Amino acid sequence: MTASCRTAHLLLLLSVCALARGDDAVVPNGRYRMVNKHSGKAAGVAGASLVAGDASDGASQHWVFTVSGQGYYKIENVRAARVIDTSATPDDAVGVADWVYPAEDGQLFTVKDEGGGHASIHSKLTGKALEGSKSGAGVKQGAYLGANSQLWKLFRVPPSPGSGFQVADGVYFLVNRWSGMHIEVKDGSKESSALVHLAEKTYFPQQQWHFTNLGGGFCKIENVNSGLGFDVAGASEDNGVDVVQWPYSGEKNQQFAVKDAGDGYVSIHPKHTGKAVELDGWGGTDVMQWEYTVDANQQWILVPVTASTNRQPPTSGLPALFYFALLTAIFVYVVRAFKSRRAKHKKHAERFSESRAKNAVFL
């Protein structure tokens, strides 16, 4: 092989290596600003189009990355409440659309680490990468070439809870927006440190919570069944710590701010951390505290308890057992009475037959 051929071969190998995608980047669920390396502009939404503009703190340039399984993410715009979509756009255009469940491939993306704090973002449907236009004003998709226009830096945007939500003192059910299930004390326990988790609605007292305003935008939340209060276990400041029930003592981990999350939902934040009360991940039932991400598993609706929804569980199994025994006894009595009457009828019939036979002989 000549020197020129070897040089060409080496350049080809280098170019192939340069074009190879990086390793999967781990992007924690949360809100981000996506800034293009080539133009320095941030991806945003205008109508149904994905555009780029000068970076700002506007919600139209804020994107919530959420793991959707198997290394894919959905990328949802905060203001438009719509996701990046590559499935229904002509050529290499990229738009935004309503989230479809179960997820369509055109609405799922992998994020690849390209070094230097930058990443490339690839459609599951097309395999192409999101890229900023040369003018910097638009966003499209194209075969990945490793160009600066295809590299993005994700800046974490710490979300802030909404304004305070005034909760009238009273008894409520707490229903999770994502799962539709109710917060309750596990197994209806009245013990301190019993776990708080989510379950299907029963309307029983262990799913009823008494909110009492404490002033300063905070309230205590006590279970009707046990009289014990919401409590972040051990007053921990860590993500993933369970919410339990505990006698109320006025500690900051037992005081909660209720914030408006929009559409009639609220988020709930312990005073000692400001983090959010959430359903464990997206498939569990535990209730815990976690950094606020605006996700649906951190949003709740307060449903007032009324006379029609204030139900009591059976106090014990004795009444049911009693009624079962009573019905069994009645059944046995009826069967025996029927058999006895049938036997008497048979005996009467036999005597009648014998009497007729004797009369026939005398005649």
Side-chain angles (χ1 to χ4, degrees), residues 231 246-251 253-254:
D231 181 291
W246 195 264
Y248 182 74
S249 60
E251 300 296 329
N253 63 312
Q254 296 180 323

Side-chain angles (χ1 to χ4, degrees), residues 1-14:
M1 182 182 291
T2 64
S4 60
C5 288
R6 284 197 297 271
T7 301
H9 185 64
L10 178 60
L11 289 173
L12 178 61
L13 287 176
L14 289 173

Side-chain angles (χ1 to χ4, degrees), residues 21-25 110-115 118-122 151:
R21 296 180 184 179
D23 296 329
D24 286 340
T110 55
V111 181
K112 303 291 183 180
D113 184 1
E114 305 297 352
H118 290 91
S120 57
I121 302 171
H122 305 262
L151 301 180

Side-chain angles (χ1 to χ4, degrees), residues 35 91 113 163 172 202 208 211 266 280 324 334 336 355:
V35 178
D91 302 322
D113 184 1
S163 58
Y172 299 85
T202 63
Q208 300 176 22
F211 281 68
V266 299
D280 176 14
F324 176 76
V334 170
R336 287 179 176 176
S355 175

Side-chain angles (χ1 to χ4, degrees), residues 87-349:
S87 59
T89 52
D91 302 322
D92 286 330
V94 178
V96 292
D98 292 330
W99 170 249
V100 176
Y101 184 85
E104 294 182 347
D105 289 352
Q107 297 183 335
L108 295 176
F109 299 85
T110 55
V111 181
K112 303 291 183 180
D113 184 1
E114 305 297 352
H118 290 91
S120 57
I121 302 171
H122 305 262
S123 166
K124 181 180 180 181
L125 178 67
T126 66
K128 295 180 179 180
L130 300 185
E131 64 179 43
S133 64
K134 292 182 179 179
S135 66
V139 178
K140 60 178 184 177
Q141 61 176 331
Y144 182 64
L145 300 174
N148 287 343
S149 61
Q150 296 177 322
L151 301 180
W152 302 85
K153 180 165 282 191
L154 303 181
F155 292 91
R156 187 70 181 263
V157 180
S160 56
S163 58
F165 185 93
Q166 185 63 39
V167 181
D169 288 0
V171 181
Y172 299 85
F173 299 110
L174 274 168
V175 184
N176 185 257
R177 182 173 190 173
W178 183 78
S179 70
M181 294 195 292
H182 290 222
I183 289 185
E184 70 168 22
V185 176
K186 192 171 184 179
D187 298 325
S189 173
K190 296 184 179 182
E191 299 296 323
S192 298
S193 77
L195 282 176
V196 172
H197 76 152
L198 264 71
E200 297 296 337
K201 65 182 179 183
T202 63
Y203 299 130
F204 293 160
Q206 61 261 35
Q207 292 188 345
Q208 300 176 22
W209 300 92
H210 192 275
F211 281 68
T212 305
N213 282 280
L214 302 171
F218 294 93
C219 48
K220 62 178 178 178
I221 307 172
E222 295 172 302
N223 187 256
V224 169
N225 182 58
S226 66
L228 303 179
F230 248 35
D231 181 291
V232 177
S236 174
E237 298 182 1
D238 296 334
N239 286 333
V241 174
D242 288 326
V243 174
V244 298
Q245 67 173 3
W246 195 264
Y248 182 74
S249 60
E251 300 296 329
K252 291 182 179 180
N253 63 312
Q254 296 180 323
Q255 300 181 37
F256 297 84
V258 181
K259 301 289 187 178
D260 186 2
D263 300 326
Y265 291 89
V266 299
S267 55
I268 301 173
H269 307 265
K271 186 176 184 178
H272 75 300
T273 64
K275 294 181 177 181
V277 173
E278 72 163 32
L279 165 63
D280 176 14
W282 294 90
T285 60
D286 289 348
V287 175
M288 60 180 59
Q289 77 168 359
W290 198 272
E291 179 183 354
Y292 185 55
T293 62
V294 203
D295 290 322
N297 65 321
Q298 295 183 337
Q299 297 181 26
W300 310 88
I301 190 166
L302 275 63
V303 181
V305 175
T306 64
S308 63
T309 57
N310 184 11
R311 300 180 186 172
Q312 299 294 324
T315 56
S316 71
L318 182 58
L321 182 60
F322 172 77
Y323 285 118
F324 176 76
L326 178 61
L327 289 174
T328 302
I330 293 172
F331 176 77
V332 171
Y333 172 80
V334 170
V335 170
R336 287 179 176 176
F338 175 77
K339 288 183 176 179
S340 175
R341 185 173 181 181
R342 188 177 179 182
K344 288 180 179 179
H345 179 74
K346 184 178 179 181
K347 192 172 183 180
H348 178 74

